[in-house]
Amino acid sequence: EPEVTQTPSHQVTQMGQEVILRCVPISNHLYFYWYRQILGQKVEFLVSFYNNEISEKSEIFDDQFSVERPDGSNFTLKIRSTKLEDSAMYFCASSEAGIKGETQYFGPGTRLLVL
Amino acid sequence: AQTVTQSQPEMSVQEAETVTLSCTYDTSESNYYLFWYKQPPSRQMILVIRQEAYKQQNATENRFSVNFQKAAKSFSLKISDSQLGDTAMYFCAFTVTSGTYKYIFGTGTRLKVLA
């Protein structure tokens, strides 16, 4: 069964450094998402992406964040200048057609630790 | 505000027994979808069960069933005949059908099935 994959599984970085988290969505899916979960807190929506554009973003998704689909398979989340509070598990997800209420398929997450 | 509350951070159950995980949510929307996702250790979140709010009938999927009480905004998950492979983090989530693709998640319940 097709799965969303994410790399790396763990990333440790110094505050102020740039990180890129990578995701490979399911191949025939058209909508892509990033969520994050700070330890002990809720999984929070960051951004949705369709047709090479951001379709929706949360107030968390400020100017330090960006997303890109650099080729036909990868979907990336870049954090330009990491802060301690960016330490979290980051989940990528994809869905087939962007129909409201359809199932989103999640990757295993990347655990980011900012020191 | 739209929120999901999972009041049980951790639960355990003996193998072959039944366990119920609770979830309450808040939304002013009338049409939405509810989900339970399972995340085994170091694996991706996978969909366990999905419920459409306008459907009266509770969703079932093999040993997994929900008790959906729309008026009470409650969406509990019952796992029957628990198996060791059910050990995982369980997330409750919902999404409305108007204006957004994002899922609203709870903090999760860590379930351990004991041999």
Coordinates of all heavy atoms in Angstrom, one line a residue, chain A residues 1-90:
Chain A
E1 N 0.8 -1.2 0.0 CA 0.0 0.0 0.0 C 0.9 1.2 0.0 O 1.8 1.3 0.8 CB -0.9 0.0 1.2 CG -1.9 1.1 1.2 CD -3.0 0.9 2.3 OE1 -3.2 -0.3 2.8 OE2 -3.5 1.9 2.8
P2 N 0.6 2.2 -0.8 CA 1.4 3.4 -0.9 C 1.4 4.2 0.4 O 0.4 4.2 1.1 CB 0.7 4.3 -2.0 CG -0.2 3.4 -2.7 CD -0.5 2.3 -1.8
E3 N 2.6 4.7 0.8 CA 2.7 5.5 2.0 C 3.4 6.8 1.8 O 4.2 7.0 0.8 CB 3.6 4.6 3.0 CG 2.9 3.4 3.5 CD 3.8 2.6 4.5 OE1 5.0 2.9 4.5 OE2 3.3 1.8 5.3
V4 N 3.1 7.7 2.7 CA 3.9 9.0 2.7 C 5.2 8.7 3.5 O 5.2 8.1 4.5 CB 3.1 10.1 3.4 CG1 3.9 11.3 3.5 CG2 1.8 10.3 2.7
T5 N 6.3 9.1 2.9 CA 7.6 9.0 3.6 C 8.2 10.3 3.9 O 7.9 11.3 3.2 CB 8.6 8.1 2.7 OG1 8.8 8.8 1.5 CG2 8.0 6.8 2.4
Q6 N 9.0 10.3 5.0 CA 9.6 11.6 5.4 C 11.1 11.3 5.8 O 11.4 10.3 6.4 CB 8.9 12.1 6.6 CG 7.5 12.7 6.4 CD 6.9 13.3 7.6 OE1 5.9 12.9 8.1 NE2 7.5 14.4 8.1
T7 N 11.9 12.2 5.4 CA 13.3 12.2 5.8 C 13.8 13.6 6.3 O 13.3 14.6 5.8 CB 14.2 11.7 4.6 OG1 14.0 12.6 3.5 CG2 13.9 10.3 4.3
P8 N 14.7 13.6 7.2 CA 15.2 12.5 8.1 C 14.1 12.1 9.1 O 13.2 12.9 9.3 CB 16.4 13.1 8.7 CG 16.1 14.5 8.8 CD 15.3 14.9 7.6
S9 N 14.4 11.1 9.8 CA 13.4 10.7 10.9 C 13.7 11.6 12.1 O 12.8 11.9 12.9 CB 13.6 9.3 11.3 OG 14.9 8.9 11.6
H10 N 15.0 12.0 12.3 CA 15.4 12.8 13.4 C 16.4 13.9 12.9 O 17.2 13.6 12.0 CB 16.1 12.1 14.5 CG 15.3 11.1 15.2 ND1 14.9 9.9 14.7 CD2 14.6 11.2 16.4 CE1 14.1 9.3 15.6 NE2 13.9 10.0 16.6
Q11 N 16.3 15.1 13.4 CA 17.2 16.1 13.0 C 17.5 17.0 14.2 O 16.6 17.4 14.9 CB 16.6 17.0 11.9 CG 17.4 18.2 11.5 CD 18.0 18.1 10.1 OE1 17.5 17.5 9.2 NE2 19.2 18.7 10.0
V12 N 18.8 17.2 14.4 CA 19.3 18.1 15.5 C 20.0 19.3 14.8 O 20.8 19.1 14.0 CB 20.2 17.4 16.5 CG1 20.7 18.3 17.6 CG2 19.6 16.1 17.1
T13 N 19.6 20.4 15.3 CA 20.2 21.6 14.7 C 20.5 22.7 15.7 O 19.9 22.6 16.8 CB 19.4 22.2 13.5 OG1 20.1 23.2 12.8 CG2 18.1 22.8 14.1
Q14 N 21.4 23.6 15.4 CA 21.6 24.7 16.3 C 20.7 25.9 16.0 O 20.3 26.1 14.8 CB 23.1 25.2 16.1 CG 24.1 24.2 16.5 CD 24.2 24.0 18.0 OE1 24.0 24.9 18.8 NE2 24.4 22.8 18.4
M15 N 20.3 26.6 17.0 CA 19.4 27.7 16.9 C 20.0 28.7 15.8 O 21.2 28.9 15.8 CB 19.3 28.4 18.2 CG 18.3 29.5 18.3 SD 18.1 30.1 20.0 CE 19.7 30.6 20.5
G16 N 19.1 29.2 14.9 CA 19.5 30.1 13.9 C 19.9 29.4 12.6 O 20.0 30.1 11.6
Q17 N 20.1 28.1 12.6 CA 20.4 27.4 11.4 C 19.1 27.1 10.6 O 18.0 27.1 11.1 CB 21.1 26.1 11.7 CG 22.4 26.2 12.4 CD 23.4 26.9 11.4 OE1 23.7 26.4 10.3 NE2 24.0 28.0 11.9
E18 N 19.3 26.9 9.3 CA 18.2 26.5 8.4 C 18.1 25.0 8.3 O 19.1 24.3 8.3 CB 18.5 27.1 7.0 CG 17.5 26.7 5.9 CD 17.9 27.2 4.6 OE1 17.8 28.4 4.3 OE2 18.3 26.4 3.7
V19 N 16.9 24.5 8.3 CA 16.6 23.1 8.1 C 15.6 22.9 7.0 O 14.7 23.8 6.8 CB 16.1 22.4 9.4 CG1 17.2 22.4 10.5 CG2 14.8 23.0 9.9
I20 N 15.8 21.8 6.3 CA 14.8 21.4 5.3 C 14.3 20.0 5.6 O 15.1 19.1 5.8 CB 15.4 21.4 3.9 CG1 15.8 22.8 3.5 CG2 14.4 20.9 2.9 CD1 16.6 22.9 2.2
L21 N 13.0 19.9 5.8 CA 12.4 18.6 6.1 C 11.8 18.1 4.8 O 11.1 18.9 4.1 CB 11.3 18.7 7.2 CG 11.8 19.4 8.5 CD1 10.7 19.4 9.5 CD2 13.1 18.9 9.0
R22 N 12.0 16.9 4.5 CA 11.5 16.4 3.2 C 10.4 15.3 3.3 O 10.4 14.5 4.3 CB 12.7 15.7 2.5 CG 13.7 16.8 2.0 CD 14.9 16.2 1.2 NE 15.6 17.3 0.5 CZ 16.5 18.0 1.1 NH1 16.8 17.9 2.4 NH2 17.2 19.0 0.5
C23 N 9.6 15.3 2.3 CA 8.4 14.4 2.3 C 8.2 13.9 0.9 O 8.4 14.7 -0.1 CB 7.2 15.2 2.8 SG 5.6 14.4 2.6
V24 N 7.9 12.7 0.8 CA 7.4 12.2 -0.5 C 6.0 11.8 -0.4 O 5.7 10.7 0.3 CB 8.3 11.0 -1.0 CG1 7.7 10.5 -2.4 CG2 9.7 11.4 -1.1
P25 N 5.0 12.6 -0.9 CA 3.6 12.2 -0.8 C 3.3 11.0 -1.6 O 4.1 10.5 -2.4 CB 2.9 13.5 -1.3 CG 3.9 14.5 -1.3 CD 5.2 13.9 -1.5
I26 N 2.1 10.5 -1.4 CA 1.6 9.4 -2.3 C 1.5 9.9 -3.7 O 1.0 11.0 -3.9 CB 0.3 8.8 -1.7 CG1 0.5 8.2 -0.3 CG2 -0.4 7.8 -2.7 CD1 -0.7 7.8 0.4
S27 N 1.9 9.1 -4.7 CA 2.2 9.6 -6.0 C 1.0 10.2 -6.7 O 1.2 11.1 -7.5 CB 2.8 8.5 -6.9 OG 1.8 7.4 -7.0
N28 N -0.2 9.8 -6.6 CA -1.3 10.3 -7.3 C -2.1 11.4 -6.5 O -3.2 11.9 -6.9 CB -2.3 9.2 -7.8 CG -2.9 8.5 -6.7 OD1 -2.4 8.4 -5.6 ND2 -4.1 8.0 -6.9
H29 N -1.5 11.8 -5.4 CA -2.2 12.8 -4.5 C -1.9 14.2 -5.0 O -0.8 14.4 -5.5 CB -1.8 12.6 -3.1 CG -2.5 11.4 -2.4 ND1 -2.5 11.2 -1.1 CD2 -3.3 10.4 -3.0 CE1 -3.2 10.1 -0.8 NE2 -3.7 9.6 -1.9
L30 N -2.8 15.1 -4.8 CA -2.7 16.4 -5.4 C -2.5 17.5 -4.3 O -2.1 18.6 -4.5 CB -3.9 16.8 -6.2 CG -4.1 15.9 -7.4 CD1 -5.4 16.4 -8.2 CD2 -2.9 15.9 -8.4
Y31 N -2.9 17.1 -3.0 CA -2.9 18.1 -1.9 C -1.9 17.6 -0.9 O -1.9 16.5 -0.6 CB -4.3 18.2 -1.3 CG -5.2 19.2 -2.1 CD1 -5.8 18.7 -3.3 CD2 -5.5 20.4 -1.6 CE1 -6.6 19.6 -4.0 CE2 -6.3 21.3 -2.4 CZ -6.9 20.8 -3.5 OH -7.7 21.7 -4.2
F32 N -1.2 18.6 -0.4 CA -0.1 18.3 0.6 C -0.2 19.2 1.8 O -0.6 20.3 1.7 CB 1.3 18.4 -0.1 CG 1.3 17.8 -1.5 CD1 1.6 18.6 -2.6 CD2 1.1 16.4 -1.6 CE1 1.7 18.0 -3.8 CE2 1.1 15.9 -2.9 CZ 1.4 16.7 -4.0
Y33 N 0.2 18.7 2.9 CA 0.1 19.4 4.2 C 1.3 19.2 5.0 O 2.0 18.2 5.0 CB -1.2 18.8 4.9 CG -2.4 18.7 4.1 CD1 -2.6 17.5 3.4 CD2 -3.4 19.6 4.0 CE1 -3.7 17.3 2.6 CE2 -4.5 19.5 3.3 CZ -4.7 18.3 2.6 OH -5.8 18.1 1.8
W34 N 1.5 20.1 5.9 CA 2.4 20.0 7.0 C 1.7 20.3 8.3 O 1.0 21.3 8.4 CB 3.7 20.9 6.9 CG 4.7 20.5 5.9 CD1 4.8 20.9 4.6 CD2 5.7 19.4 6.1 NE1 5.9 20.3 4.0 CE2 6.4 19.4 4.9 CE3 6.0 18.6 7.1 CZ2 7.4 18.5 4.7 CZ3 7.1 17.7 7.0 CH2 7.8 17.7 5.8
Y35 N 2.0 19.5 9.3 CA 1.5 19.7 10.7 C 2.7 19.5 11.6 O 3.7 19.0 11.2 CB 0.5 18.6 11.0 CG -0.8 18.6 10.3 CD1 -1.0 18.1 9.0 CD2 -2.0 19.1 11.0 CE1 -2.2 18.1 8.4 CE2 -3.2 19.1 10.3 CZ -3.3 18.6 9.1 OH -4.5 18.6 8.4
R36 N 2.5 20.0 12.8 CA 3.6 19.8 13.8 C 3.0 19.5 15.2 O 1.8 19.9 15.4 CB 4.5 21.0 13.9 CG 4.0 22.1 14.7 CD 5.0 23.2 14.9 NE 4.5 24.2 15.8 CZ 5.1 25.4 16.1 NH1 6.3 25.7 15.5 NH2 4.6 26.3 16.9
Q37 N 3.8 18.8 16.0 CA 3.3 18.5 17.3 C 4.5 18.8 18.3 O 5.5 18.1 18.3 CB 2.9 17.1 17.5 CG 2.3 16.8 18.9 CD 1.9 15.4 19.1 OE1 2.4 14.4 18.5 NE2 0.9 15.1 20.0
I38 N 4.4 19.9 19.1 CA 5.3 20.1 20.1 C 5.0 19.1 21.2 O 3.8 18.7 21.5 CB 5.1 21.6 20.6 CG1 5.5 22.5 19.5 CG2 5.9 21.8 21.9 CD1 5.2 24.0 19.8
L39 N 6.1 18.6 21.9 CA 5.9 17.5 22.8 C 4.9 17.8 23.9 O 4.9 18.9 24.5 CB 7.3 17.3 23.5 CG 7.4 16.1 24.4 CD1 7.3 14.8 23.5 CD2 8.7 16.1 25.2
G40 N 3.9 16.9 24.0 CA 2.9 17.0 25.0 C 1.7 17.9 24.6 O 0.7 18.1 25.3
Q41 N 1.8 18.5 23.4 CA 0.7 19.4 22.9 C 0.0 18.7 21.7 O 0.3 17.6 21.3 CB 1.3 20.7 22.6 CG 2.0 21.4 23.7 CD 2.4 22.8 23.4 OE1 1.9 23.5 22.5 NE2 3.4 23.4 24.1
K42 N -0.9 19.5 21.2 CA -1.8 19.0 20.1 C -1.0 19.0 18.8 O -0.1 19.8 18.6 CB -3.1 19.8 20.0 CG -3.9 19.7 21.3 CD -5.2 20.4 21.1 CE -6.0 20.3 22.4 NZ -7.4 20.7 22.3
V43 N -1.4 18.1 17.9 CA -0.9 18.2 16.5 C -1.6 19.5 15.9 O -2.8 19.6 16.0 CB -1.3 17.0 15.7 CG1 -0.9 17.1 14.3 CG2 -0.7 15.7 16.4
E44 N -0.8 20.3 15.3 CA -1.3 21.6 14.8 C -1.0 21.7 13.3 O 0.0 21.4 12.8 CB -0.6 22.8 15.5 CG -0.6 22.9 17.0 CD 0.3 23.9 17.5 OE1 1.5 23.7 17.4 OE2 -0.2 24.9 18.0
F45 N -2.0 22.2 12.6 CA -1.9 22.5 11.2 C -1.0 23.6 10.9 O -1.0 24.6 11.6 CB -3.3 22.8 10.6 CG -3.3 23.3 9.2 CD1 -3.2 22.4 8.1 CD2 -3.5 24.6 8.9 CE1 -3.3 22.9 6.8 CE2 -3.5 25.1 7.7 CZ -3.4 24.2 6.6
L46 N -0.1 23.4 9.9 CA 0.8 24.5 9.5 C 0.3 25.1 8.1 O 0.1 26.3 8.0 CB 2.2 24.0 9.4 CG 2.9 23.6 10.6 CD1 4.3 23.1 10.3 CD2 3.0 24.8 11.6
V47 N 0.2 24.2 7.1 CA 0.0 24.7 5.8 C -0.5 23.6 4.9 O -0.3 22.4 5.1 CB 1.4 25.2 5.2 CG1 2.4 24.1 5.0 CG2 1.2 26.0 3.9
S48 N -1.3 24.1 3.9 CA -1.7 23.1 2.8 C -1.3 23.7 1.5 O -1.1 24.9 1.3 CB -3.2 22.9 2.8 OG -3.9 24.1 2.6
F49 N -1.1 22.8 0.5 CA -0.4 23.2 -0.7 C -1.0 22.4 -1.9 O -1.2 21.2 -1.8 CB 1.1 22.8 -0.6 CG 2.0 23.2 -1.6 CD1 2.6 24.5 -1.6 CD2 2.4 22.4 -2.7 CE1 3.5 24.9 -2.5 CE2 3.3 22.8 -3.7 CZ 3.9 24.1 -3.6
Y50 N -1.3 23.2 -2.9 CA -1.9 22.6 -4.1 C -1.5 23.3 -5.3 O -1.5 24.6 -5.3 CB -3.5 22.6 -4.0 CG -4.2 22.3 -5.2 CD1 -4.2 21.0 -5.7 CD2 -4.9 23.2 -6.0 CE1 -4.9 20.6 -6.9 CE2 -5.5 22.9 -7.1 CZ -5.5 21.6 -7.6 OH -6.2 21.3 -8.8
N51 N -1.2 22.6 -6.4 CA -0.9 23.2 -7.7 C 0.2 24.2 -7.5 O 0.2 25.3 -8.1 CB -2.1 23.8 -8.3 CG -2.0 24.1 -9.7 OD1 -1.3 23.4 -10.4 ND2 -2.8 25.1 -10.2
N52 N 1.2 23.9 -6.7 CA 2.4 24.7 -6.5 C 2.1 26.0 -5.8 O 2.9 27.0 -5.9 CB 3.1 25.0 -7.9 CG 4.0 23.8 -8.3 OD1 4.6 23.2 -7.5 ND2 3.9 23.5 -9.6
E53 N 1.1 26.0 -5.1 CA 0.8 27.2 -4.3 C 0.3 26.9 -2.9 O -0.4 25.8 -2.7 CB -0.3 28.1 -5.0 CG 0.1 28.7 -6.3 CD -1.1 29.6 -6.8 OE1 -2.2 29.5 -6.3 OE2 -0.8 30.4 -7.7
I54 N 0.5 27.7 -2.0 CA -0.1 27.6 -0.6 C -1.6 27.9 -0.8 O -2.0 28.9 -1.3 CB 0.6 28.5 0.4 CG1 2.0 28.1 0.7 CG2 -0.2 28.6 1.7 CD1 2.8 29.0 1.5
S55 N -2.4 26.9 -0.3 CA -3.8 27.1 -0.4 C -4.4 27.6 1.0 O -5.4 28.3 1.0 CB -4.6 25.9 -0.8 OG -4.2 24.8 0.0
E56 N -3.7 27.3 2.0 CA -4.1 27.7 3.4 C -2.9 27.6 4.3 O -2.1 26.7 4.2 CB -5.2 26.8 3.9 CG -5.8 27.2 5.2 CD -6.9 26.2 5.6 OE1 -7.1 25.2 5.0 OE2 -7.5 26.4 6.7
K57 N -2.8 28.6 5.2 CA -1.8 28.5 6.2 C -2.3 29.0 7.6 O -3.2 29.8 7.6 CB -0.5 29.3 5.8 CG -0.8 30.8 5.6 CD 0.5 31.4 5.2 CE 0.3 32.9 5.0 NZ 1.5 33.6 4.6
S58 N -1.7 28.5 8.6 CA -2.1 28.9 10.0 C -1.2 30.1 10.4 O -0.2 30.5 9.8 CB -1.9 27.7 10.9 OG -0.5 27.5 11.2
E59 N -1.6 30.6 11.5 CA -0.9 31.8 12.1 C 0.6 31.4 12.5 O 1.4 32.2 12.7 CB -1.6 32.4 13.2 CG -1.9 31.5 14.4 CD -3.2 30.7 14.2 OE1 -3.7 30.6 13.1 OE2 -3.5 30.0 15.2
I60 N 0.8 30.1 12.7 CA 2.1 29.6 13.1 C 3.0 29.7 11.9 O 4.2 30.0 12.1 CB 2.0 28.1 13.5 CG1 1.1 27.9 14.7 CG2 3.4 27.6 13.8 CD1 0.8 26.4 14.9
F61 N 2.5 29.6 10.7 CA 3.3 29.5 9.5 C 3.7 31.0 9.1 O 3.1 31.6 8.2 CB 2.5 28.9 8.4 CG 3.3 28.5 7.2 CD1 4.0 27.2 7.2 CD2 3.5 29.3 6.1 CE1 4.7 26.9 6.1 CE2 4.2 28.9 5.0 CZ 4.9 27.7 5.0
D62 N 4.7 31.5 9.8 CA 5.1 32.8 9.5 C 6.3 32.9 8.5 O 6.5 31.9 7.8 CB 5.5 33.5 10.8 CG 6.7 32.8 11.5 OD1 7.5 32.1 10.9 OD2 6.8 33.0 12.7
D63 N 6.9 34.0 8.4 CA 7.9 34.2 7.3 C 9.1 33.3 7.4 O 9.9 33.2 6.4 CB 8.3 35.7 7.2 CG 7.2 36.6 6.8 OD1 6.2 36.1 6.2 OD2 7.3 37.8 7.0
Q64 N 9.4 32.7 8.5 CA 10.5 31.8 8.6 C 10.3 30.5 8.0 O 11.2 29.7 7.8 CB 10.9 31.6 10.1 CG 9.9 30.8 10.9 CD 10.6 30.3 12.2 OE1 11.8 30.0 12.3 NE2 9.7 30.1 13.2
F65 N 9.0 30.2 7.7 CA 8.6 28.9 7.1 C 8.4 29.1 5.6 O 7.9 30.1 5.1 CB 7.4 28.3 7.7 CG 7.5 27.9 9.1 CD1 7.1 28.7 10.2 CD2 7.9 26.6 9.4 CE1 7.2 28.3 11.5 CE2 8.0 26.2 10.8 CZ 7.7 27.1 11.8
S66 N 8.7 28.1 4.8 CA 8.3 28.1 3.4 C 8.2 26.6 3.0 O 8.8 25.7 3.6 CB 9.4 28.8 2.5 OG 10.6 28.1 2.6
V67 N 7.4 26.4 1.9 CA 7.2 25.1 1.4 C 7.4 25.1 -0.1 O 7.3 26.2 -0.7 CB 5.8 24.5 1.7 CG1 5.6 24.2 3.1 CG2 4.7 25.5 1.2
E68 N 7.8 23.9 -0.6 CA 8.2 23.9 -2.0 C 7.9 22.5 -2.5 O 8.1 21.5 -1.7 CB 9.6 24.3 -2.2 CG 10.1 24.5 -3.6 CD 11.5 24.9 -3.7 OE1 12.3 24.5 -2.8 OE2 11.9 25.6 -4.6
R69 N 7.6 22.4 -3.8 CA 7.6 21.1 -4.4 C 8.6 21.2 -5.5 O 8.3 21.6 -6.7 CB 6.2 20.8 -5.0 CG 6.0 19.4 -5.6 CD 4.6 18.9 -5.4 NE 4.3 17.8 -6.2 CZ 4.5 16.5 -5.8 NH1 5.0 16.3 -4.7 NH2 4.1 15.5 -6.6
P70 N 9.9 20.8 -5.2 CA 11.0 21.1 -6.1 C 11.0 20.2 -7.4 O 11.6 20.5 -8.4 CB 12.2 20.8 -5.3 CG 11.7 19.9 -4.2 CD 10.3 20.3 -3.9
D71 N 10.3 19.1 -7.3 CA 10.2 18.2 -8.4 C 8.9 17.4 -8.3 O 8.1 17.8 -7.5 CB 11.4 17.2 -8.4 CG 11.6 16.5 -7.1 OD1 10.5 16.0 -6.6 OD2 12.7 16.3 -6.6
G72 N 8.8 16.4 -9.1 CA 7.5 15.7 -9.2 C 7.2 14.8 -8.0 O 6.0 14.3 -7.9
S73 N 8.1 14.6 -7.1 CA 7.8 13.7 -6.0 C 8.0 14.3 -4.6 O 7.4 13.9 -3.7 CB 8.7 12.5 -6.2 OG 10.1 12.8 -6.2
N74 N 8.9 15.2 -4.5 CA 9.2 15.7 -3.1 C 8.4 16.9 -2.7 O 8.0 17.7 -3.6 CB 10.7 16.1 -3.0 CG 11.6 14.9 -3.0 OD1 11.7 14.2 -2.0 ND2 12.2 14.6 -4.2
F75 N 8.2 17.1 -1.4 CA 7.5 18.2 -0.9 C 8.3 18.6 0.4 O 8.5 17.8 1.2 CB 6.0 17.9 -0.5 CG 5.2 18.9 0.1 CD1 5.1 20.2 -0.5 CD2 4.5 18.7 1.3 CE1 4.4 21.2 0.1 CE2 3.7 19.7 1.9 CZ 3.7 20.9 1.3
T76 N 8.8 19.8 0.4 CA 9.7 20.2 1.5 C 9.1 21.3 2.3 O 8.4 22.2 1.9 CB 11.0 20.6 0.9 OG1 10.9 21.8 0.1 CG2 11.7 19.5 0.1
L77 N 9.6 21.3 3.6 CA 9.3 22.4 4.5 C 10.6 22.9 5.0 O 11.5 22.2 5.5 CB 8.5 21.9 5.8 CG 8.3 22.9 6.9 CD1 7.3 24.0 6.5 CD2 7.8 22.2 8.2
K78 N 10.8 24.2 4.7 CA 12.1 24.9 5.1 C 11.8 25.8 6.3 O 10.8 26.6 6.3 CB 12.7 25.7 4.0 CG 14.0 26.3 4.3 CD 14.4 27.4 3.2 CE 14.8 26.7 2.0 NZ 15.4 27.7 1.0
I79 N 12.7 25.7 7.3 CA 12.6 26.7 8.4 C 13.9 27.5 8.3 O 15.0 26.9 8.4 CB 12.5 26.0 9.8 CG1 11.3 25.0 9.8 CG2 12.3 27.0 10.9 CD1 11.2 24.1 11.0
R80 N 13.8 28.8 8.1 CA 15.0 29.6 7.7 C 15.9 29.8 8.8 O 17.1 29.6 8.7 CB 14.5 30.9 7.1 CG 14.6 31.0 5.6 CD 14.2 32.4 5.1 NE 12.7 32.5 5.1 CZ 12.0 32.0 4.1 NH1 12.6 31.4 3.1 NH2 10.7 32.1 4.1
S81 N 15.4 30.1 9.9 CA 16.3 30.5 11.1 C 15.6 29.9 12.3 O 14.7 30.5 12.9 CB 16.5 32.0 11.2 OG 17.2 32.3 12.4
T82 N 16.1 28.6 12.6 CA 15.3 27.9 13.7 C 15.4 28.5 15.0 O 16.5 29.1 15.4 CB 15.8 26.5 13.7 OG1 17.3 26.5 13.8 CG2 15.4 25.7 12.5
K83 N 14.4 28.4 15.8 CA 14.3 28.8 17.2 C 14.1 27.6 18.1 O 13.7 26.6 17.6 CB 13.1 29.8 17.4 CG 13.1 31.0 16.4 CD 11.8 31.7 16.5 CE 11.7 32.8 15.4 NZ 10.3 33.3 15.3
L84 N 14.4 27.8 19.3 CA 14.2 26.7 20.3 C 12.8 26.2 20.2 O 12.6 25.0 20.3 CB 14.5 27.2 21.7 CG 16.0 27.6 22.0 CD1 16.1 28.1 23.4 CD2 17.0 26.5 21.7
E85 N 11.8 27.1 20.1 CA 10.4 26.7 20.1 C 10.0 26.0 18.8 O 8.8 25.5 18.8 CB 9.5 27.9 20.4 CG 9.7 29.0 19.5 CD 10.6 30.1 20.0 OE1 11.6 29.7 20.7 OE2 10.4 31.3 19.8
D86 N 10.8 25.8 17.9 CA 10.5 25.0 16.7 C 10.7 23.6 16.9 O 10.4 22.7 16.1 CB 11.4 25.5 15.5 CG 11.0 26.9 15.0 OD1 9.9 27.3 15.2 OD2 12.0 27.6 14.6
S87 N 11.3 23.2 18.1 CA 11.5 21.8 18.4 C 10.2 21.1 18.5 O 9.3 21.5 19.2 CB 12.2 21.6 19.7 OG 13.6 22.1 19.6
A88 N 10.0 20.1 17.6 CA 8.7 19.4 17.5 C 8.8 18.3 16.6 O 9.8 18.1 15.9 CB 7.6 20.4 17.0
M89 N 7.7 17.5 16.5 CA 7.6 16.5 15.5 C 6.8 17.1 14.3 O 5.8 17.7 14.6 CB 6.8 15.3 16.0 CG 6.6 14.2 15.0 SD 8.1 13.2 14.7 CE 7.9 11.9 15.9
Y90 N 7.4 17.0 13.2 CA 6.7 17.6 12.0 C 6.2 16.4 11.1 O 6.9 15.5 10.7 CB 7.7 18.4 11.2 CG 8.0 19.7 11.9 CD1 9.0 19.7 12.9 CD2 7.4 20.9 11.5 CE1 9.2 20.9 13.6 CE2 7.7 22.1 12.2 CZ 8.6 22.1 13.2 OH 8.9 23.2 13.9

